[in-house]
Amino acid sequence: MTEAVPTLPREELIAEPVSEVGLMSQWKLMALRFRRNKLAMIGLVGLVVMYIIMALAPFLSPNNYLFQNQDYVSGPPTPIVFRDAQGNFTLRPHAIAISTELDPVAFKFVYARDDEIRHPIKLFVRGDAYSMLGFVKSDLHLFGIEGGARLYPFGADPLGRDMMARVLQGGQISMTIGLVGVAMSIIFGSILGTASGYYGGIVDDIMQRLIEIIASFPTVPLWAALAAALPTTSSTFTPLHRYFLITVILSLVNWTGLARQLRAKVMSYSNSDFTMAALAAGASDARIIFIHMLPNAASHIIVVAALAIPGMILGETSLSFLGLGILPPLVSWGALLKDAQQVSVVIQQPWLIIPGIAVVITVLFFSFLGDGLRDAVDPYSI
């Protein structure tokens, strides 16, 4: 006699709900995996904050980055304390005055603290006039000292200019040249790499030999040679023109890696079902490349771009450090590091290496972001 099988209620027969991950698109899976990477989020947030700070550089700086204070040449950072002149604790920061004297023996300026004089640091102070983002003109600064005294949180350079203002202003050049340069590299690499892999034959051979020739040259000497070939600054060739040409030079060298990677991907896409279906439907070569192949390689292009930006920033820094990059009155982190080429100068004036710290932080943030994007490209490993 067979044993009767108990009948379960209908609610208990229903399987557990399927996870939402299985219903997500690939881009949503990539975004989910990226958000789970803490270092990548740190890099993203850090870069957003840095770009906002650089955009507001004239407002955030207590002085104009071009103002030269002849009485504060290579001056140290202004000491900031939270005690007034009477020694009482206060929430308002105070800047201790620094007196400047000329040493007749060493024939150089000597700076000494004057603790008897303390200037209160106030918010939204009127000071040097500036132009922010090219069209916002004002003289309002986030913080500063009233009454003619000046504040130098990062010290001054050998010409008496505010290092904080120059570091923030230089970040506008150093951080944007990476974005613009990588954008141009993506255009060159995507078009040429895709064409090389799609058409093959003589087109592929010519492009691969060109890539091999460019890749065989040492990067920094090639940058230096191209930058040195630029015309000198004149009324018709301004430092701004040089900035854009330096960007083009960096792009012309860095597109080869992306082109080779996209060539391999396009060659693998050539026999895919969606390519064969497009060819059967009579799609043109341009439509197959731009509508079907490049969108499939978009995730890879984004990762390569994020990882290439630090190289662009370091390339501009190297050129400007050698005197072949950005020229005055424009300023970049590499140009600022020219003043710190000698060990003796760094020992006596350590605040001159602050632009180098800014470069390290920026490259680190971009590395975090690039690694996170690279991991997110394979979202199915969640």
Side-chain angles (χ1 to χ4, degrees):
M1 182 176 180
T2 58
E3 184 178 354
V5 178
T7 304
L8 297 177
R10 185 174 183 277
E11 291 78 6
E12 297 184 15
L13 293 176
I14 299 177
E16 294 183 359
V18 181
S19 173
E20 294 182 0
V21 174
L23 303 177
M24 290 183 178
S25 64
Q26 181 172 351
W27 287 100
K28 289 184 178 180
L29 287 173
M30 291 171 59
L32 177 61
R33 184 170 176 82
F34 179 80
R35 289 196 299 267
R36 290 184 176 182
N37 191 322
K38 294 182 180 180
L39 287 179
M41 293 302 298
I42 291 174
L44 177 62
V45 174
L47 288 173
V48 170
V49 172
M50 289 190 68
Y51 275 105
I52 293 175
I53 291 175
M54 300 309 166
L56 302 176
F59 170 69
L60 299 177
S61 307
N63 306 292
N64 189 294
Y65 78 102
L66 293 175
F67 176 78
Q68 300 182 17
N69 187 354
Q70 300 299 329
D71 296 329
Y72 208 69
V73 174
S74 298
T78 304
I80 299 176
V81 296
F82 287 88
R83 293 187 179 276
D84 57 17
Q86 291 74 32
N88 300 321
F89 176 79
T90 175
L91 294 177
R92 180 185 296 277
H94 286 67
I96 298 178
I98 296 181
S99 58
T100 307
E101 299 177 357
L102 181 63
D103 187 349
V105 178
F107 202 70
K108 65 178 182 179
F109 288 107
V110 178
Y111 302 96
R113 290 174 49 146
D114 188 354
D115 289 280
E116 300 297 327
I117 303 177
R118 302 189 179 190
H119 304 285
I121 300 176
K122 299 182 178 180
L123 296 175
F124 305 109
V125 177
R126 297 289 178 180
D128 298 332
Y130 60 82
S131 176
M132 185 168 59
L133 301 177
F135 61 91
V136 179
K137 299 184 182 298
S138 176
D139 61 351
L140 183 66
H141 297 262
L142 177 62
F143 64 96
I145 301 174
E146 296 180 342
R150 290 188 176 270
L151 179 66
Y152 294 89
F154 292 175
D157 70 354
L159 294 179
R161 296 171 295 192
D162 185 5
M163 278 297 296
M164 179 179 179
R166 294 182 67 77
V167 168
L168 296 182
Q169 190 72 26
Q172 294 184 353
I173 298 294
S174 296
M175 295 187 70
T176 56
I177 202 169
L179 295 178
V180 178
V182 166
M184 298 181 66
S185 295
I186 288 176
I187 295 174
F188 296 149
S190 298
I191 295 176
L192 298 179
T194 304
S196 177
Y198 182 77
Y199 291 106
I202 186 65
V203 175
D204 184 36
D205 291 338
I206 293 175
M207 289 188 179
Q208 292 309 305
R209 301 296 83 76
L210 177 63
I211 290 175
E212 291 172 358
I213 292 174
I214 295 176
S216 64
F217 285 98
T219 304
V220 174
L222 180 59
W223 283 338
L226 294 175
L230 296 179
T232 57
T233 303
S234 62
S235 58
T236 58
F237 188 77
T238 64
L240 186 61
H241 294 152
R242 186 180 182 87
Y243 162 76
F244 284 109
L245 288 182
I246 290 292
T247 305
V248 173
I249 289 172
L250 296 174
S251 304
L252 290 176
V253 178
N254 284 350
W255 64 270
T256 56
L258 176 62
R260 276 191 164 179
Q261 296 170 23
L262 283 183
R263 170 181 175 268
K265 281 190 168 295
V266 169
M267 292 179 70
S268 66
Y269 292 156
S270 299
N271 297 323
S272 299
D273 293 339
F274 64 87
T275 304
M276 296 300 178
L279 288 173
S284 62
D285 293 342
R287 180 175 179 82
I288 294 175
I289 291 174
F290 291 102
I291 302 299
H292 298 286
M293 291 188 173
L294 283 181
N296 278 280
S299 59
H300 182 78
I301 295 174
I302 293 173
V303 173
V304 171
L307 293 175
I309 292 176
M312 288 282 186
I313 295 176
L314 292 175
E316 183 278 326
T317 302
S318 301
L319 288 178
S320 299
F321 180 78
L322 296 173
L324 299 171
I326 302 301
L327 297 178
L330 298 180
V331 61
S332 70
W333 288 336
L336 292 176
L337 288 173
K338 288 177 60 179
D339 297 330
Q341 291 184 359
Q342 300 179 359
V343 178
S344 59
V345 174
V346 174
I347 294 175
Q348 297 174 2
Q349 305 163 19
W351 54 89
L352 294 179
I353 65 174
I354 292 178
I357 298 175
V359 173
V360 172
I361 293 174
T362 303
V363 172
L364 193 62
F365 281 158
F366 270 114
S367 298
F368 288 162
L369 179 63
D371 289 340
L373 289 174
R374 182 169 55 191
D375 293 339
V377 166
D378 185 16
Y380 299 103
S381 61
I382 292 179

